[in-house]
Structures are given as structure tokens and as C-alpha cells.
Amino acid sequence: MSFQIALDGPSGAGKSTVAKALAAKMGLIYVDTGALYRAIGLYTQRKGVDPKDAEGVAKLLPEISLELRYEADGTQQVYLNGEATGNKIRTPEISMYASAVSAIPAVRDFLLDTQREIAAKNNVVMDGRDIGTVILPNADLKVFLTASDECRAKRRWLELKEKGMETSYESVLEDMRRRDHNDSTRAIAPAVAAPDAILLDSSDLTVEECVAKVEALALAKMKK
Ligand code: DC
């Protein structure tokens, strides 16, 4: 049996940073499930299909093949029909596409098995929105990571700036709130904490403090 950590929460809460560090420390595979939705968003955008058009997007799915590969340093790369997606899936435009296509049931179905298969074969820390509620309901540990809106927007803005994508803090905050609203109010697999998830607010914590807290929780579960 594999050891599974479900790390859910809204964008900018620090999930990927914490998950990456935790994976390195504990020898787990880090799975960034948002990147899978982003890759479908990228394909939808390239095909000129409206990401809110459920039927139109569903028709594209048979044309899509996604593969997760890991580089030597543990970095995940999503391959879309054989092409490394890299930073192409990290733009604000593709964030909105990802959020829109992720509300489509056919898209979520399409990605369900991929995610479960990886978690069945590896010890994972899986970062997403519905990992603890839908994908891995029996995960060994479920953490729902949050932080204030302003704090999350500032982190996301700095991250985009570092990647050379110039935008204003205000527009990042506005996009984030719109995306949070879409993600948490959609009919299917809304981004909410599982009843048995442990809530962790990262607003006033350093990355190291967050990682230490999740690691302590994971070690306690491993001992059981
Ligand atoms: O974590 P992220 O920002 O890269 O995710 C991109 C979008 O994909 C986000 O708006 C919500 C959606 N998503 C989802 O619905 N379920 C997941 N498990 C991961 C992401």
C-alpha cells in the first residue's frame, strides 16, 4: 500500500511550495494535479474553443494525451501530446482556462484515473482542490491549506514576476478571487475541505514552518 497525503486548498495558499519541500524531505512523489487541468486549458485555448462550452471541450478530450514525467530534481513536467508544457501553462490566461474547464464533469472524469493510478503506485503528496474529497477519499493524511486573500495574491504576483510575467498586484488579486469563486461554488467536486481534513492557515507561517507541521502530522500517521 502506498502512503498518500492529500493537500488541498485555494490558489496561492502555498500548496505547491509546501508539497515540493515535503516530497524532497520525506522521499515522496509530488503530484501537481492543477497542471493537468492547465494542460487541458492550454489545448482548449489553442483550439479556439470556449472553455465554458462543456460539449465543445468534451469533444476535444479524445484528442488529448497527458503524461507526467519527473526530472532528476523531482520537478514535474506535464507532456501534452508529447510536448513539454513548461511555463506555457502558467500564464494568467491559462489559469482562467484551467478554472473554467475544471468545472466540466467530463474533464474531471478524464483525469480521475490518471490521478488515482499515480497515487496507487507511489507514495505521494498530491496537491489539488478535490484530492481529499474525491480523488483519494482514503488518503492517510488530508490537509487543507489556506491563507488570507491578500497574502495569497501577493505570493502569486511575486511568483509571476519571478517568471518574467508582468502584471499588477490588483489584477492578480481580482483574478484569484474570481477563480476561487468559480472553484469553490461549482456543482462538481467544489474546492472545499474534506470533513476529516486538518485546516492549516499559512498566512503567518514561513514555508519551513508549514512543511514542519505537515511533516509532523504525516509522521504521526505513519506510526499508527
Ligand atoms: O492549482 P492550480 O492553480 O494550478 O489549478 C488550476 C485550476 O485547476 C484551478 O483553478 C482549479 C482547477 N483544479 C481543480 O479543479 N482540481 C484540482 N485537483 C486541481 C486544480
Side-chain angles (χ1 to χ4, degrees), residues 191-202:
V192 293
D196 52 346
I198 291 162
L199 297 185
L200 185 59
D201 188 324
S202 71

Side-chain angles (χ1 to χ4, degrees), residues 5-9 108 112 116 126 128-139 141-144 183 186 188-197:
I5 302 177
L7 188 59
D8 290 302
R108 305 203 74 86
L112 186 75
R116 283 192 180 152
M126 199 170 254
R129 303 292 191 289
D130 64 338
I131 308 304
T133 50
V134 178
I135 308 295
L136 307 176
N138 298 317
L141 172 66
K142 298 179 186 180
V143 175
F144 197 83
D183 297 344
R186 65 184 177 217
I188 176 170
V192 293
D196 52 346

Side-chain angles (χ1 to χ4, degrees), residues 8-12 15-16 32-38 89-90 94-103 108 111 115 126-131 135 156 179-180 182-183 186 188-191:
D8 290 302
S11 61
K15 296 189 303 290
S16 64
D32 167 10
T33 62
L36 298 167
Y37 292 90
R38 287 172 178 274
I89 57 170
R90 301 290 163 195
I94 297 304
S95 295
M96 293 313 290
Y97 267 80
S99 178
V101 300
S102 74
R108 305 203 74 86
L111 294 177
Q115 297 172 81
M126 199 170 254
D127 134 13
R129 303 292 191 289
D130 64 338
I131 308 304
I135 308 295
R156 186 45 57 96
R179 220 148 58 87
D180 280 355
N182 287 350
D183 297 344
R186 65 184 177 217
I188 176 170

Side-chain angles (χ1 to χ4, degrees), residues 29-201:
I29 296 264
Y30 162 52
V31 187
D32 167 10
T33 62
L36 298 167
Y37 292 90
R38 287 172 178 274
I40 294 181
L42 177 64
Y43 192 78
T44 305
Q45 185 252 13
R46 284 178 174 173
K47 288 286 164 178
V49 171
D50 176 355
K52 291 203 176 93
D53 171 7
E55 233 175 85
V57 174
K59 273 195 198 137
L60 296 178
L61 297 175
E63 301 167 16
I64 298 177
S65 148
L66 297 178
E67 198 195 331
L68 289 184
R69 288 191 215 158
Y70 290 88
E71 281 154 25
D73 66 351
T75 314
Q76 171 188 296
Q77 177 77 258
V78 178
Y79 283 77
L80 168 62
N81 295 334
E83 170 196 351
T85 53
N87 275 343
K88 283 176 247 174
I89 57 170
R90 301 290 163 195
T91 66
E93 186 191 10
I94 297 304
S95 295
M96 293 313 290
Y97 267 80
S99 178
V101 300
S102 74
I104 300 172
V107 169
R108 305 203 74 86
D109 272 358
F110 180 76
L111 294 177
L112 186 75
D113 289 344
T114 311
Q115 297 172 81
R116 283 192 180 152
E117 271 166 30
I118 298 171
K121 287 188 204 140
N122 303 281
N123 294 328
V124 293
V125 48
M126 199 170 254
D127 134 13
R129 303 292 191 289
D130 64 338
I131 308 304
T133 50
V134 178
I135 308 295
L136 307 176
N138 298 317
D140 298 278
L141 172 66
K142 298 179 186 180
V143 175
F144 197 83
L145 194 62
T146 55
S148 69
D149 290 4
E150 291 75 14
C151 179
R152 292 189 290 119
K154 189 166 167 223
R155 289 179 187 159
R156 186 45 57 96
W157 175 65
L158 288 172
E159 202 178 283
L160 288 171
K161 221 168 116 175
E162 242 170 55
K163 286 182 180 149
M165 298 180 214
E166 287 298 329
T167 56
S168 69
Y169 163 77
E170 287 72 23
S171 80
V172 173
L173 180 62
E174 198 184 307
D175 277 6
M176 211 188 62
R177 285 187 170 146
R178 196 159 6 125
R179 220 148 58 87
D180 280 355
H181 180 76
N182 287 350
D183 297 344
S184 60
T185 59
R186 65 184 177 217
I188 176 170
V192 293
D196 52 346
I198 291 162
L199 297 185
L200 185 59
D201 188 324

